Amino acid sequence: MAGKEATRQRHLNQDTDGEESASVQAEAWKIRYETCWLHRHCSSLLHKDKQARKAGQLFSGLLALNVVFLGCAFISSMIFNRVAITLRDVRIFLSILKLLSVCWIIYYLLCTSRKPHAVLYRDSHAGPVWVQGSLVLFGACTILLHVFRIGYNISHIHCKSPLEILFPCIEIVFICIQTYLLWHHSKDCTQVQHNLTRCGLMLTMATDFLLWLLAVTNDSVHREIESALKGNESSSCTCPNTTACLVFQKGYVLLYPFNPEYCLIGSSMLYVMWKNVGRRIPPHHAIHAKPNFKLRGVIYGLVLGISTLFIGICIFMTYQIQATSSAPSEDTLVLYYSYYVALLPMMTVGAVAGTVIHGLEERELDTLKNPTRSLDVILLMGAALGQIGISYFSIVAIVATNPGDLLDRLSLTYAVSLIIQHITQNIFIIEGLHRQPLVEDPDASPAGPHTQHSGPSSEETAVSHTSQEPTPPPGNKETEAKEGEKREDCDPRRVYPLEIRQQLRRVSHAYSHTYGRLNWKRKALKEISIFLVLCNIILWIMPTFGMHPAFENGLEKSFYGYSTWFAIVNFGLPLGVFYRMHSVGGLLEVYVSS
């Protein structure tokens, strides 16, 4: 009886407070708390939501971990026993993963993202322009790579399976759909179907990782092309059109480095989306001013960086011309290492100077939770291990053999300089990413044309506090006219006494003097950042397009053995290439926020 009375009273309260209950119901529609067997008995909704998020992340992470381990077992078995597990078996397994990922992406685009209140928040830090541009560029190059691969397989259709044509077609579809998802939805903080979305993102990320691992470890196509170019190809698998086959071969080899880079970028963006599932961003954090990229006032860093880029391209072309005709000569290797030995200390000095300027700056630290920035730091530290690992192996081999020629001494200096440069550049980028950006104020006072700030000045605050007056209601034309005349006469030079005007002048002068004194620091940071951007671009171009002196230098190869040294270099170089590309993005962020 008491229960019925309580229910009746509750209905009466809902009837009398119709508007309030409607607003509460509308708010309840915005955020949906999912329940599962792990936390359905939790009493607190906030605690319930946290438990649901942890449970979903745990389950989806375990799913991705098992898929990655299974794929690694397939790829490793293919490497060690090409008879039992062939490349065709690995591609069939990866094609199944790609088809499952494509099905989930289509479902997310057509169903999940279109549900009411599916995306209430968008992470402004996720998917910046440089990342999306790199994704589209590398995705287009990877698609073109698979087009060349299809043409190469069609030209050898009499000795190849039709599945060799089907595999790249599936990958083209996968790349197109995934690029569309990451271009349009990389900033989404999905608020519905949390568990399904997390599992789909983890499955797609695991697929990208396994594709990267296969691209790094699989050299069968390269060995086949090299054998064909040397004339060792069997008569049963010859190409009827030699010119077309040569175009397909050259295009495939040239575009091959873009494939692993695309997989790494896709994996990092999918990880940020996975971290943002169920995330709710406060309104005052969701909207903030973004600085614009401008090259105004940058001279020395730009000129020095362009000069470095031009010299590096000349050395790269010299190396490539010799590599196509024969093995690179010792003089070319000496020129290569000399270029690096001269460039890396300059980059180290610039990074150290930038770190010191960061310490001298009077800027607030950005302590807000940011999954994108956390991932950037992890990727910088992790990708740097590739080249650092190769350098340490080289140092041990060179010191142990105690060589005396110029090339080995340059190689030792290059290895030590590379380690120091990676460490100092990482510190500079991470310090810059954790600083609050400085945004130019379009309504700044005429104290100086380059005045920048992150909030209102003291003069503006004094004026706003002194001149606050009640505003009359609209509709009365006579009152509005008088009020307009009053506003015209509210000039500080006419209204304020002499003491207040002098005080305002002193505050304005102190404010402009403070920020004017900091201008040289911001300019120095921009000069250093743009110089390091151009240096990292040339250091990305060289290994990406086939300049690998580590394979040609015979000291490490003879010290560790061909198989061991090939595995070390083949694992470290792709990480080094990704590090340079990722550093360019981080340095651009530092440049824009300075």
Side-chain angles (χ1 to χ4, degrees):
M1 192 71 180
K4 292 182 178 179
E5 185 64 26
T7 304
R8 187 181 302 110
Q9 186 66 28
R10 194 159 51 246
H11 283 300
L12 288 174
N13 293 336
Q14 289 178 356
D15 291 337
T16 55
D17 300 334
E19 294 181 0
E20 183 178 355
S21 64
S23 63
V24 172
Q25 189 176 9
E27 291 293 329
W29 272 99
K30 291 184 179 180
I31 300 175
R32 299 187 179 187
Y33 298 93
E34 295 189 359
T35 59
C36 72
W37 61 271
L38 188 62
H39 52 79
R40 61 174 55 141
H41 298 294
C42 297
S43 57
S44 172
L45 285 178
L46 182 61
H47 182 64
K48 190 179 190 179
D49 179 51
K50 290 182 179 178
Q51 290 294 329
R53 187 171 183 177
K54 291 179 180 178
Q57 289 180 347
L58 176 63
F59 181 77
S60 58
L62 289 174
L63 173 65
L65 197 62
N66 282 274
V67 172
V68 167
F69 278 143
L70 181 59
C72 290
F74 262 91
I75 295 173
S76 302
S77 301
M78 178 199 69
I79 294 173
F80 295 111
N81 192 340
R82 294 181 181 269
V83 178
I85 302 295
T86 62
L87 180 60
R88 176 182 174 182
D89 299 328
V90 175
R91 285 175 175 169
I92 290 174
F93 173 73
L94 291 178
S95 297
I96 294 173
L97 293 180
K98 283 182 278 190
L99 291 175
L100 291 175
S101 301
V102 166
C103 292
W104 171 78
I105 293 174
I106 293 175
Y107 177 80
Y108 179 85
L109 295 175
L110 299 181
C111 300
T112 303
S113 62
R114 297 188 179 184
K115 286 183 176 294
H117 311 293
V119 184
L120 294 175
Y121 312 98
R122 290 176 66 83
D123 185 3
S124 59
H125 296 280
V129 176
W130 70 268
V131 174
Q132 290 184 335
S134 302
L135 181 80
V136 173
L137 174 63
F138 294 158
C141 293
T142 305
I143 291 173
L144 188 59
L145 162 73
H146 291 297
V147 170
F148 281 113
R149 181 177 161 190
I150 292 172
Y152 179 79
N153 291 331
I154 290 177
S155 62
H156 295 78
I157 192 63
H158 58 279
C159 57
K160 288 184 176 291
S161 171
L163 289 176
E164 297 292 330
I165 302 174
L166 180 63
F167 291 143
C169 293
I170 295 175
E171 187 145 357
I172 288 175
V173 174
F174 172 74
I175 291 171
C176 291
I177 296 179
Q178 179 179 253
T179 304
Y180 181 85
L181 169 74
L182 296 175
W183 178 265
H184 289 280
H185 298 275
S186 60
K187 300 179 182 293
D188 289 1
C189 298
T190 311
Q191 303 296 326
V192 297
Q193 297 182 350
H194 295 172
N195 295 329
L196 178 61
T197 304
R198 288 193 184 101
C199 290
L201 288 169
M202 281 288 103
L203 177 65
T204 311
M205 191 179 78
T207 304
D208 279 317
F209 177 79
L210 292 176
L211 289 173
W212 171 79
L213 186 62
L214 180 64
V216 169
T217 57
N218 180 33
D219 60 342
S220 59
V221 178
H222 290 80
R223 287 188 286 105
E224 181 181 342
I225 292 175
E226 184 179 358
S227 177
L229 292 175
K230 291 180 179 179
N232 298 328
E233 196 172 21
S234 61
S235 58
S236 60
C237 197
T238 56
C239 181
N241 191 341
T242 307
T243 305
C245 285
L246 186 61
V247 171
F248 294 142
Q249 291 168 1
K250 291 293 185 181
Y252 184 88
V253 173
L254 181 65
L255 296 173
Y256 191 81
F258 292 100
N259 186 19
E261 297 301 316
Y262 173 83
C263 296
L264 288 176
I265 295 177
S267 299
S268 61
M269 296 181 72
L270 289 167
Y271 175 80
V272 173
M273 286 185 66
W274 177 74
K275 292 289 290 185
N276 281 331
V277 172
R279 183 186 175 200
R280 293 186 291 276
I281 304 176
H284 59 282
H285 293 164
I287 302 174
H288 65 278
K290 291 185 178 180
N292 296 322
F293 180 82
K294 297 178 181 178
L295 284 175
R296 183 180 59 190
V298 180
I299 301 174
Y300 302 105
L302 189 63
V303 172
L304 188 59
I306 291 176
S307 303
T308 302
L309 186 66
F310 178 75
I311 296 172
I313 290 176
C314 294
I315 295 175
F316 170 73
M317 294 183 66
T318 304
Y319 180 92
Q320 288 297 102
I321 291 172
Q322 287 196 1
T324 52
S325 58
S326 60
S329 63
E330 184 176 350
D331 294 338
T332 305
L333 294 177
V334 168
L335 183 62
Y336 169 83
Y337 284 118
S338 301
Y339 174 75
Y340 267 82
V341 167
L343 178 61
L344 292 175
M346 294 173 59
M347 297 175 65
T348 301
V349 171
V352 171
T355 306
V356 172
I357 294 174
H358 275 314
L360 296 176
E361 270 195 315
E362 300 176 2
R363 264 201 286 173
E364 296 284 339
L365 291 177
D366 189 0
T367 58
L368 297 178
K369 185 178 180 181
N370 189 340
T372 305
R373 184 175 57 205
S374 302
L375 179 63
D376 288 339
V377 173
I378 293 173
L379 291 177
L380 279 173
M381 301 299 293
L385 297 178
Q387 282 287 0
I388 290 177
I390 295 177
S391 298
Y392 275 117
F393 278 104
S394 297
I395 291 172
V396 171
I398 295 170
V399 173
T401 54
N402 194 18
D405 58 341
L406 177 62
L407 181 60
D408 292 325
R409 288 199 300 268
L410 285 174
S411 180
L412 178 62
T413 309
Y414 159 78
V416 175
S417 303
L418 197 63
I419 295 172
I420 299 174
Q421 192 272 326
H422 276 71
I423 295 173
T424 54
Q425 181 171 274
N426 279 351
I427 295 173
F428 172 65
I429 295 175
I430 293 171
E431 283 286 329
L433 292 177
H434 284 82
R435 300 280 174 170
Q436 290 280 6
L438 291 167
V439 186
E440 291 187 2
D441 185 12
D443 299 326
S445 62
H450 300 291
T451 302
Q452 296 175 342
H453 63 87
S454 56
S457 64
S458 303
E459 181 182 1
E460 292 170 349
T461 305
V463 173
S464 63
H465 283 295
T466 311
S467 61
Q468 284 182 355
E469 294 185 3
T471 304
N476 192 339
K477 295 184 179 179
E478 183 178 355
T479 305
E480 291 179 359
K482 292 180 180 180
E483 195 63 31
E485 295 176 359
K486 186 178 180 180
R487 281 195 299 269
E488 290 178 358
D489 294 334
C490 280
D491 190 356
R493 293 171 296 182
R494 300 180 184 179
V495 178
Y496 296 150
L498 178 62
E499 295 84 5
I500 297 180
R501 293 203 305 269
Q502 290 177 349
Q503 184 179 2
L504 288 175
R505 253 194 307 272
R506 284 195 300 269
V507 172
S508 177
H509 177 71
Y511 177 81
S512 61
H513 176 70
T514 299
Y515 282 90
R517 184 165 47 86
L518 292 179
N519 274 340
W520 71 268
K521 299 177 184 177
R522 297 175 194 152
K523 185 177 180 181
L525 285 176
K526 288 184 178 294
E527 299 278 5
I528 293 170
S529 299
I530 202 66
F531 169 69
L532 291 178
V533 164
L534 295 172
C535 291
N536 279 275
I537 287 176
I538 187 60
L539 297 185
W540 173 80
I541 290 175
M542 285 184 170
T544 299
F545 293 97
M547 193 169 184
H548 302 144
F551 286 115
E552 306 296 335
N553 192 7
L555 190 145
E556 295 93 342
K557 192 187 304 181
S558 61
F559 184 83
Y560 293 105
Y562 177 79
S563 300
T564 305
W565 183 242
F566 179 83
I568 293 170
V569 175
N570 212 28
F571 177 78
L573 274 181
L575 288 178
V577 171
F578 180 75
Y579 172 80
R580 293 301 176 187
M581 185 201 64
H582 196 67
S583 297
V584 170
L587 290 166
L588 287 176
E589 292 283 343
V590 175
Y591 176 86
V592 169
S593 63
S594 298

